Amino acid sequence: MPVYLDHAATTPMLPVARDAYIAALDLVGNPSSIHSQGRSSQRRLEESREIIAASLGADPVEVVLTSGGTESINLGVKGLYWARQAEATRPVVLVPGGEHHATVDAVEWLERHEGARVEWLPVDEVGRLHPETLDAALAAHGASVALVSVLWANNEVGTVQPVAELVEVAERFGVPVHIDAVAAYGYLPIDFHAVGAAALSVSAHKIGGPAGVGALLLARRSSLEPLIHGGNQQRVRSGTQDAAGAVAFAAAAASVPRPASAASDPSASDDDDQTTVDTAAFLTGLARLRDRLVAGVRSAVPEAVLRGDPAPQGRLPGNAHFTFPGCEGDSLLFLLDMAGFSVSTGSACQAGVPEVSHVLLAMGVPADDARGALRFTLGHGTTEGEIDALIEALPGACAAARRAGYSDRVVSGRTAPPV
């Protein structure tokens, strides 16, 4: 049976979410209709919104349901930018290097079509943006900054950002912050109110919910221009709402790590408390499996280089990202796939043309080293036996990849794999 180690791309739907989804598909009535069936659908939708909000430390009115993380990020980034231009001319958008392509492509679109000026902020060797770097950029651009957008945790190398400190810096300059928390949701406690960002994006299929559902959290104090018009069913988003998708999303959201504000809520039920305990055990076990994988890879392939924050508390509990010198990541991926392991290179692939990871390049990794990237991400259902089987298969796959991946070209003084 194939071993699935690509949970960062999507994690299998949880049985509780699947069951809730199937049952909710029988809901009849548009949630915006005022007849009894419409009101019943609306009630289920709003109950689900409350659960999603609680899992993120937000109020239900701040939860704007979307078609997924990409729409949420586009709505947050473009919508905040447009709203800020309505107040004054503020063309500058500050974004760290190594962000997800949903953010990268959105701000580059603003640059091409809306006159934005994007400044890519440098990150350190583990992919982390330092608050003093953001402070210097904000001081340099003054009142011309429209917004800052930053990942909560990097989707490729797993490094966790100091989001609360970054938001605090931006607040001193009166600049709103959008946080892409798609990779962090389900693996770290997220408290929207405590962090104080203007907007935050998440996706259901990363936590065991269905694909095609997500949310943008928009703080009560914040305003943005919508991407979609026609009905105004939600605060800044039009369109008939997906009640069944929201129900399944909420079923998965009930199992994510709760923020401290939710854990201390006296109205929380005993069931919620049990969910929190189970979630803590899951995350502890996941981090233990990750550490087992990291140690095993280093033992089996000593030349492999762990990328991202090497400190366990500084990276996502299910993320282990390596570069393998002398190997093409794509070759390794296909060889492991043939052996029954689903993993990822973590690199972008646009129009069918593989690219060197822009995340690793932003971290200062040489391009020829970055070509050997492989990302292993763990989740619900991952076992010690699967980790051990991967470690056993890895040396042979690396040896085969080195034989297959070399050409007679030389980069940086050594033979390099073909592009």
Side-chain angles (χ1 to χ4, degrees):
M1 186 167 182
V3 174
Y4 188 74
L5 298 175
D6 195 19
H7 289 264
T10 191
T11 200
M13 192 177 295
L14 294 171
V16 65
R18 183 180 62 247
D19 293 346
Y21 200 17
I22 292 171
L25 288 172
D26 287 333
L27 284 171
V28 177
N30 188 315
S32 296
S33 297
I34 60 175
H35 50 64
S36 59
Q37 288 176 306
R39 293 198 303 274
S40 176
S41 183
Q42 176 74 7
R43 176 181 59 80
R44 294 294 305 278
L45 178 72
E46 295 309 321
E47 288 173 348
S48 299
R49 197 189 309 272
E50 290 175 3
I51 294 170
I52 295 164
S55 75
L56 291 159
D59 296 331
V61 72
E62 295 173 312
V63 177
V64 180
L65 294 170
T66 69
S67 64
T70 297
E71 184 195 337
S72 298
I73 291 166
N74 273 261
L75 177 58
V77 170
K78 294 175 181 175
L80 285 173
Y81 180 84
W82 288 327
R84 293 278 283 170
Q85 305 318 303
E87 302 168 356
T89 302
R90 298 184 175 100
V92 177
V93 179
L94 300 179
V95 185
E99 293 290 293
H100 190 280
H101 265 291
T103 297
V104 172
D105 292 357
V107 298
E108 288 182 344
W109 185 91
L110 288 172
E111 194 170 40
R112 291 192 304 271
H113 298 284
E114 301 293 312
R117 298 204 316 268
V118 181
E119 179 173 337
W120 302 101
L121 304 178
V123 296
D124 65 15
E125 67 278 3
V126 302
R128 183 168 288 121
L129 173 65
H130 292 274
E132 53 268 29
T133 301
L134 177 60
D135 185 273
L138 288 164
H141 291 288
S144 63
V145 179
L147 75 145
V148 176
S149 187
V150 62
L151 283 161
W152 192 301
N154 190 276
N155 56 291
E156 286 193 22
V157 299
T159 296
V160 179
Q161 298 286 355
V163 286
E165 297 174 56
L166 296 171
V167 172
E168 183 180 358
V169 169
E171 280 186 342
R172 294 204 300 268
F173 292 86
V175 174
V177 176
H178 165 262
I179 298 176
D180 171 2
V182 171
Y185 189 34
Y187 299 97
L188 298 172
I190 294 175
D191 194 329
F192 183 58
H193 288 165
V195 169
L200 182 145
S201 298
V202 294
S203 185
H205 76 104
K206 304 292 188 177
I207 65 167
V213 187
L216 177 74
L217 304 188
L218 181 65
R220 289 174 179 268
R221 70 182 187 281
S222 300
S223 62
L224 56 73
E225 288 294 319
L227 292 176
I228 302 171
H229 301 86
N232 198 32
Q233 283 86 348
Q234 296 188 83
R235 184 176 162 197
V236 292
R237 185 182 188 269
S238 296
T240 301
Q241 297 179 78
D242 180 3
V247 169
F249 186 179
S255 297
V256 306
R258 295 300 180 97
S261 59
S264 61
D265 184 352
S267 66
S269 68
D270 292 339
D271 290 341
D272 288 337
D273 291 341
Q274 184 61 47
T275 297
T276 302
V277 170
D278 292 344
T279 300
F282 162 68
L283 295 177
T284 300
L286 198 64
R288 185 168 57 248
L289 288 172
R290 175 205 59 196
D291 294 344
R292 184 186 187 99
L293 174 57
V294 169
V297 171
R298 284 173 160 166
S299 176
V301 188
E303 64 272 25
V305 180
L306 180 68
R307 302 297 181 180
D309 194 334
Q313 68 274 15
R315 69 185 305 127
L316 291 173
N319 177 288
H321 186 288
F322 285 89
T323 53
F324 296 87
C327 297
E328 281 276 8
D330 289 336
S331 296
L332 267 177
L333 185 152
F334 289 126
L335 287 162
L336 288 171
D337 190 28
M338 291 174 62
F341 300 92
S342 297
V343 300
S344 171
T345 59
S347 61
C349 187
Q350 297 183 359
V353 180
E355 298 177 350
V356 175
S357 168
H358 70 289
V359 174
L360 294 179
L361 295 179
M363 291 163 51
V365 177
D368 51 335
D369 291 341
R371 288 189 180 94
L374 211 59
R375 181 187 70 182
F376 310 98
T377 47
L378 321 180
H380 291 281
T382 304
T383 67
E384 287 186 358
E386 291 175 337
I387 299 299
D388 293 344
L390 172 69
I391 294 167
E392 183 178 354
L394 199 54
C398 287
R402 290 192 185 97
R403 291 193 300 269
Y406 274 78
S407 73
D408 56 3
R409 297 183 305 107
V410 175
V411 176
S412 301
R414 73 170 191 228
T415 305
V419 177

